[in-house]
Amino acid sequence: MLNVSNLHVHYGAIHALKGVSFNLEEGEIVALIGSNGAGKSTLLKTISGLLEATEGEVSYQDEIISGQPAQDIVSKGVIHIPEGRKIFPKMTVVENLEMGAFLLRDRRLVAERMEAMFERFPVLRDRKKQLGGTLSGGEQQMLTMARGLMTNPKLMLLDEPSMGLAPVLVEKVFDIIEEINEQGTSILLVEQNAQMALSIADRAYVLETGRITLSGDALDLMENPLVIEAYLGG
Amino acid sequence: MIATKKENFLLKLRGSGTIIRYILGILAGGYLLWRLYRVFIVQSAFGLETWTRLLIAGLVIGSVYALIAIGYTLVYGVLFMINFAHGEVMMLGSFAGFFVLEATRAMEVNGPGGVATSFSNAYPGLAILLAFVAGMSFSALVGFYLEKIAYRPLRKAPRLIPLISAIGASFALQNAALLLFSPQTRTYQNPDILTRGQGWRLMINDSAVILPYTGVFTMVLSIILMVGLILLVKRTRLGKSMRAVAMDKDTAALMGIDVNKTISNTFIISGILAGSAGVMWGLHNGLLHYFVGFLPGIKAFTAAVLGGIGNIPGAMLGGMVLGLLEALGPAALDISFQLKDVIAFVIMIVILIFKPSGLLGEVLSEEKV
């Protein structure tokens, strides 16, 4: 479904990705683990079109999408949920969800989907008219995920959904990710919390300073001594 | 140790700055109160009729400032830059409207009763409408290309660079107008029903105060445009995409919004408002030359800062407040009327020193700065 081959990305003089290749099949949860600065967010931003690759290509459903503007990639059903809960702080919860459905012109469908989101994330219904910026961290994470789901994406790129959340909430967020996956959305999950990521993923890749150093089934990686030492706290 | 010494010194400096600001504030406030006391209590120099005249002038000029100021604020919202060429966009719109009115004035048609008359007097509503359509669309076009040529290539440059480009664009447009239209001052050809200086006569203290038709027309039309703009920003897809881009460009793109198109649309809308302000300015004031956009442009920028740059209701409020202060200020302080420009710029300095976020503005987040 998603195929990344030999991807290079530069930030000015910094060579952030040095030939990354991996793939994701329909229905999978693939985790990308790695420490700070390994290039995980850069990779997601390049797939979603926010950054441009200097070399290599990204193809999605047998179509090359690298080089296309972000809004075109979104319209193909690839939703990037950025790191740090990038909600629109001065819009209400409802308006934020409407922004998520920006590409849908059918108002009835938007209303239907919004109702479905309120079912799935009941806390958002209670906060309906509140400005996004006034929500708590966990609520904001729910809102970004709900906003991303408004278009019913085929592929979801999730960047650090557990960042800055209390352990209880982390579990909840990961439950929701699994649920979304069961309903047919493929997921590329970037996480520093390797334990959680590997526990729900089918396969995983380890990214280190811009290169993929390890890959395999999530369960195998969990037992790999290198992974245990570097990412699972030995 | 050294660090703490330096920190102490800086703290002291900042403290003394606050004290100086307070002293300045008290001195300026005291001076103002003294002048107001003299004018209103000791001399009671002007009657109600004069104040009404000034109030009308202030409201009219204020609504023009408000329309132009919205353009500064909208562009600042999406690009975080001051579009210093915005006054020129207004001037060019004013020219477009002028040429339409002149052409309709020159066109002979058979009026009622078979008497030959000019098109603009036979169908004044249509002539004015055409002038506004021409002014708005020309300004919109200028704004659109201005962004494409002068600002878009500098999107990723440090923030000072597009600002310099804006000043350059301002000079370029002024001089283009000078070349195209010559330096002569022209007079706007209003249709007879909107003749300048004519209006409803109000009798106050036994003297006639004229409420000019052009002034009322300007105020009513600008209120309609402002309401329309608020609805557009709040309700429509276009407005929502503008708000989203203003808050966070990358996230907006991830929602499927075309950021470049949204920025272009912002310049088009700013241009439409500036163009209509230009035609209103021409109809009400009458004079037109290549430099006519400069002062209103700078004043409207002041108004946008006064209201809180980036804030649309702030720009409207700032424009009205500035127009009123400019019109009423010289009389209230008993200073020469020519000093009205000084009043506007003193207000700008005072706002920048004491409340840089403006009347309705919020403290800018780190990300935006």
Side-chain angles (χ1 to χ4, degrees):
Chain A
M1 186 181 207
L2 182 75
N3 225 315
V4 173
S5 65
N6 191 30
L7 204 65
H8 289 261
V9 176
H10 289 80
Y11 277 119
I14 300 163
H15 198 168
L17 292 183
K18 303 162 183 163
V20 172
S21 302
F22 74 93
N23 71 317
L24 180 148
E25 298 305 325
E26 191 148 6
E28 273 187 318
I29 298 183
V30 170
L32 271 166
I33 57 179
S35 52
N36 252 337
K40 304 181 307 270
S41 295
T42 306
L43 181 55
L44 288 198
K45 283 184 183 169
T46 313
I47 297 172
S48 64
L50 290 181
L51 290 176
E52 238 174 280
T54 33
E55 213 188 305
E57 62 183 37
V58 181
S59 66
Y60 168 73
Q61 292 184 331
D62 301 324
E63 182 193 356
I64 294 173
I65 57 168
S66 40
Q68 294 190 15
Q71 70 267 15
D72 291 356
I73 295 174
V74 177
S75 67
K76 295 181 206 307
V78 181
I79 295 291
H80 176 184
I81 308 222
E83 181 186 18
R85 305 187 274 277
K86 294 285 175 61
I87 48 147
F88 296 108
K90 287 164 79 189
M91 289 187 181
T92 62
V93 168
V94 169
E95 284 176 315
N96 264 286
L97 292 175
E98 281 171 359
M99 289 316 300
F102 187 78
L103 291 170
L104 300 179
R105 284 174 185 274
D106 183 350
R107 276 165 181 264
R108 207 184 314 150
L109 189 63
V110 174
E112 231 169 67
R113 294 260 171 89
M114 200 176 296
E115 191 50 40
M117 289 310 135
F118 287 147
E119 301 268 291
R120 178 174 272 164
F121 306 96
V123 63
L124 294 183
R125 197 199 295 275
D126 305 335
R127 301 266 184 271
K128 241 172 161 172
K129 302 263 177 229
Q130 224 168 297
L131 291 184
T134 64
L135 301 183
S136 72
E139 288 162 355
Q140 291 190 0
Q141 185 61 45
M142 304 293 166
L143 181 56
T144 35
M145 291 180 45
R147 189 181 62 184
L149 287 168
M150 286 295 284
T151 45
N152 224 352
K154 295 185 203 116
L155 172 61
M156 205 166 188
L157 314 173
L158 267 166
D159 199 349
E160 304 272 7
S162 75
M163 196 171 77
L165 294 186
V168 193
L169 280 174
V170 174
E171 299 234 356
K172 198 168 168 204
V173 166
F174 276 84
D175 285 346
I176 292 169
I177 296 171
E178 276 192 293
E179 235 176 83
I180 294 169
N181 179 249
E182 276 158 23
Q183 284 162 13
T185 303
S186 315
I187 286 171
L188 178 59
L189 173 66
V190 156
E191 258 300 338
Q192 278 195 56
N193 187 340
Q195 182 86 52
M196 285 304 290
L198 291 176
S199 71
I200 65 163
D202 300 307
R203 290 186 302 121
Y205 294 87
V206 176
L207 197 63
E208 269 172 26
T209 57
R211 284 194 182 87
I212 285 179
T213 51
L214 272 175
S215 64
D217 282 348
L219 293 175
D220 295 345
L221 280 181
M222 253 205 258
E223 276 157 25
N224 185 316
L226 289 172
V227 174
I228 292 173
E229 192 178 338
Y231 302 105
L232 301 177
Chain B
M1 202 52 205
I2 297 168
T4 45
K5 251 187 190 170
K6 196 175 162 193
E7 270 165 29
N8 276 339
F9 176 70
L10 283 175
L11 274 178
K12 250 188 211 162
L13 204 67
R14 198 178 293 162
S16 66
T18 319
I19 291 167
I20 289 171
R21 274 203 271 174
Y22 276 121
I23 293 172
L24 272 178
I26 290 166
L27 281 177
Y31 172 77
L32 282 179
L33 283 178
W34 174 66
R35 296 300 292 194
L36 290 173
Y37 168 76
R38 276 188 51 114
V39 172
F40 284 95
I41 315 281
V42 180
Q43 302 175 329
S44 69
F46 306 107
L48 189 60
E49 71 280 7
T50 311
W51 292 115
T52 313
R53 274 187 205 116
L54 294 173
L55 183 73
I56 293 168
L59 287 173
V60 173
I61 193 82
S63 47
V64 173
Y65 287 163
L67 279 183
I68 308 173
I70 291 169
Y72 281 101
T73 260
L74 285 178
V75 167
Y76 185 85
V78 294
L79 286 184
F80 305 125
M81 66 163 286
I82 306 297
N83 177 14
F84 278 117
H86 195 55
E88 271 55 60
V89 174
M90 170 229 162
M91 173 268 292
L92 290 168
S94 196
F95 266 104
F98 167 82
F99 286 120
V100 167
L101 283 180
E102 204 178 44
T104 54
R105 183 90 179 185
M107 203 176 356
E108 293 268 309
V109 291
N110 277 330
V115 189
T117 175
S118 72
F119 180 87
S120 77
N121 282 330
Y123 309 101
L126 188 59
I128 290 169
L129 181 71
L130 282 175
F132 273 97
V133 169
M136 287 167 159
S137 36
F138 190 55
S139 286
L141 208 68
V142 172
F144 175 77
Y145 281 107
L146 177 67
E147 189 267 334
K148 245 188 172 164
I149 295 166
Y151 306 147
R152 187 167 298 182
L154 303 172
R155 190 77 58 75
K156 295 216 166 82
R159 300 206 336 164
L160 193 57
I161 310 295
L163 215 61
I164 294 168
S165 180
I167 295 169
S170 166
F171 285 126
L173 290 175
Q174 247 174 47
N175 285 288
L178 175 61
L179 270 177
L180 279 171
F181 309 130
S182 82
Q184 82 182 96
T185 299
R186 294 154 205 258
T187 312
Y188 240 70
Q189 304 281 340
N190 295 13
D192 289 345
I193 59 159
L194 268 186
T195 307
R196 267 184 299 284
Q198 288 199 4
W200 292 281
R201 295 165 69 85
L202 313 171
M203 295 305 289
I204 296 172
N205 290 350
D206 291 330
S207 63
V209 174
I210 290 181
L211 180 61
Y213 297 136
T214 52
V216 174
F217 178 72
T218 300
M219 283 187 273
V220 171
L221 188 58
S222 45
I223 288 170
I224 292 171
L225 286 170
M226 287 190 256
V227 171
L229 178 83
I230 288 177
L231 289 179
L232 180 124
V233 170
K234 285 244 181 251
R235 298 276 168 81
T236 65
R237 239 171 106 78
L238 169 62
K240 280 179 188 159
S241 60
M242 280 166 63
R243 286 169 63 203
V245 168
M247 276 180 243
D248 184 340
K249 286 190 192 56
D250 275 356
T251 308
L254 292 180
M255 301 293 110
I257 294 169
D258 188 335
V259 174
N260 279 333
K261 205 171 114 195
T262 306
I263 290 173
S264 288
N265 286 333
T266 307
F267 273 84
I268 288 173
I269 291 168
S270 308
I272 288 175
L273 295 178
S276 64
V279 179
M280 288 176 203
W281 180 273
L283 287 171
H284 185 69
N285 273 4
L287 297 182
L288 177 63
H289 48 79
Y290 74 98
F291 205 61
V292 84
F294 180 73
L295 260 189
I298 294 281
K299 296 274 184 67
F301 166 56
T302 308
V305 171
L306 175 65
I309 189 101
N311 183 316
I312 295 173
M316 298 172 180
L317 179 70
M320 292 315 268
V321 169
L322 188 71
L324 287 173
L325 287 179
E326 228 187 77
L328 299 173
L333 299 177
D334 193 20
I335 54 178
S336 158
F337 181 66
Q338 275 81 4
L339 287 175
K340 69 184 173 61
D341 296 345
V342 176
I343 289 182
F345 298 125
V346 167
I347 289 169
M348 172 145 80
I349 294 169
V350 169
I351 283 285
L352 288 176
I353 292 176
F354 291 98
K355 199 167 187 311
S357 58
L359 295 177
L360 301 184
E362 87 255 41
V363 181
L364 290 173
S365 64
E366 285 293 314
E367 211 171 309
K368 285 189 176 178
V369 176

